[in-house]
Amino acid sequence: MVPHRPHQRDRNVRRSLPGICLLGWLIMPQPALLACELPPKPESGHHLVYVLDPRESTIRFDADARLHTFTGVVGQLSGRLRLPSVSRVSEAAACVEIETNSLTTGIALRDNKMGRSHLHTDRFPTILFTLSGVDLVEPKGDGHYTATLRGSLALHGVTAPLVIPTKAALTEQRLVVEGADPLRLSAFQIPIPSLLFIPMKDEVVVSFKVVAVPE
């Protein structure tokens, strides 16, 4: 028998199959790379789970454009927190997720440029903070504390560690955590905006008041 020899068209199809598969993978809906999910719950001990109250929580950033300063606020955020007893607060776990395109500064033109040319919200639609530890907890009386949060911030495709001094208030009805931290845009590979060819300062100050209620 004469062995079958594939036609040129068959060979071309085989060569193109990897490219077709890759294209299909790219156009198929992909799962989000970032998700606000708590790690598995420890088997021992009592842990309360809180959910962030987006109506009461606020996150803002203050930027210095040299010719003027401006403030941005976050419009859409969500999060969860799992807290053991205060004596074991180092075991706390938390995550806060922000919709990147919900950041607004009060000027639509500036907001559009910030999202399109600097934060690239089409590629990086979410910002995620993940808590990894709590240190230096000091009671101040009446359910108030100071503490240092250790965690990581995933922003603009870059994940960097953060250490944030905070103050907290804890009651049976809610948990309130407040703090502020300076961030450098260059650390997250965000192009620095400019006004009249004068670049904005690299550092912005992010301040927050996160309010969470029992789940």
Side-chain angles (χ1 to χ4, degrees), residues 127-173:
I127 302 168
L128 181 67
F129 171 77
T130 303
L131 179 70
S132 59
V134 182
D135 300 322
L136 305 176
V137 179
E138 290 189 21
K140 297 298 181 180
D142 297 325
H144 289 76
Y145 304 86
T146 60
T148 299
L149 306 184
R150 289 183 290 105
S152 61
L153 183 67
L155 166 63
H156 197 251
V158 176
T159 301
L162 292 183
V163 178
I164 312 170
T166 62
K167 58 182 181 179
L170 177 63
T171 67
E172 293 184 357
Q173 291 77 33

Side-chain angles (χ1 to χ4, degrees), residues 31-39 78-80 94-99 125-131 152 154:
L33 294 178
L34 300 178
C36 189
E37 296 182 358
L38 298 177
S78 60
R80 301 180 75 222
C95 61
V96 176
E97 186 170 354
I98 297 168
E99 298 295 324
T126 56
I127 302 168
L128 181 67
F129 171 77
T130 303
L131 179 70
S152 61

